[in-house]
Amino acid sequence: MLQLKDIPDTKILKKFANRYEAVDSEKVIQFLSILRVGTDLIEVLNSFLGKYDLLQGRWWVLILLMREDDLTSTPTELAAKAGVSKATMNGLIKRLLKDGLISRTQCDEDGRSYRVKLNRLGQAKLDEVMPEYYLRLNQLMSSVSDVDRERLVAQLLLLKQNSSVFE
């Protein structure tokens, strides 16, 4: 995925405004800044998880499995909950199986279907990662006041509600 690291300033955006009528430089810079912060947060989270030999995708699968009462789910259910394709989820599951963090069992009803389960090694991995994750998350989020965090989340949810303008 290409990530914009160099956000244009108003001088650069004036070039675009001369060519395209709808350019509102402030809104463009604000939008790109939000994207940039999101990208940066993903990068630092992946860097943190990398210390535990995980990346976000595999980590989320482990968390999704831990949320289940029986620690078990199907690849299709996991893909839907993670918002990824079945092919992407199959790749994540393959790596987690290879690393021994989950186990796989065939479904009795359909020989082609299977379920995956968070096993002891996978739970141990989460038990290793999560205390430090929560500590760092608290530090990060404490940099913004309670009231401002609530406002920020509310504003971001408004943007998400209106994101269909790109569809």
Side-chain angles (χ1 to χ4, degrees):
M1 175 173 86
L2 184 65
Q3 301 169 1
L4 182 63
K5 295 290 186 176
D6 181 22
I7 295 176
D9 58 21
T10 51
K11 181 181 175 186
I12 291 171
L13 287 172
K14 282 186 187 211
K15 291 180 188 179
F16 288 81
N18 290 335
R19 187 171 186 112
Y20 307 108
E21 292 177 27
V23 174
D24 180 329
S25 297
E26 276 187 48
K27 288 178 182 167
V28 171
I29 290 171
Q30 292 162 349
F31 176 73
L32 293 176
S33 295
I34 292 168
L35 291 179
R36 173 65 195 266
V37 169
T39 298
D40 290 348
L41 290 173
I42 288 168
E43 285 180 2
V44 297
L45 178 58
N46 274 331
S47 176
F48 166 75
L49 292 171
K51 295 174 187 174
Y52 298 93
D53 196 30
L54 289 172
L55 288 176
Q56 223 183 121
R58 294 191 307 272
W59 176 65
W60 281 121
V61 173
L62 295 176
I63 288 173
L64 288 170
L65 289 170
M66 188 177 169
R67 287 175 22 181
E68 299 296 325
D69 290 337
D70 64 356
L71 307 177
T72 303
S73 189
T74 66
T76 301
E77 291 167 343
L78 290 169
K81 289 177 182 176
V84 298
S85 70
K86 290 178 188 177
T88 297
M89 183 54 64
N90 285 332
L92 294 169
I93 288 170
K94 189 175 185 177
R95 175 66 194 265
L96 288 167
L97 286 166
K98 180 178 177 252
D99 292 346
L101 301 177
I102 61 174
S103 56
R104 174 182 162 156
T105 57
Q106 292 298 128
C107 290
D108 293 335
E109 316 85 56
D110 181 356
R112 297 173 296 149
S113 300
Y114 66 94
R115 297 180 67 77
V116 292
K117 181 174 185 169
L118 180 67
N119 63 24
R120 280 185 280 126
L121 280 175
Q123 185 63 64
K125 178 64 81 174
L126 285 175
D127 291 345
E128 179 186 5
V129 173
M130 297 310 285
E132 186 71 17
Y133 164 75
Y134 285 124
L135 177 69
R136 290 174 185 236
L137 180 108
N138 289 338
Q139 291 172 342
L140 172 69
M141 297 307 289
S142 292
S143 66
V144 179
S145 74
D146 292 347
V147 170
D148 287 341
R149 277 195 314 272
E150 288 177 21
R151 286 184 190 142
L152 175 62
V153 169
Q155 297 302 307
L156 290 171
L157 290 174
L158 283 174
L159 288 176
K160 183 182 182 307
Q161 281 180 329
N162 202 32
S163 64
S164 63
V165 300
F166 281 108
E167 293 176 355

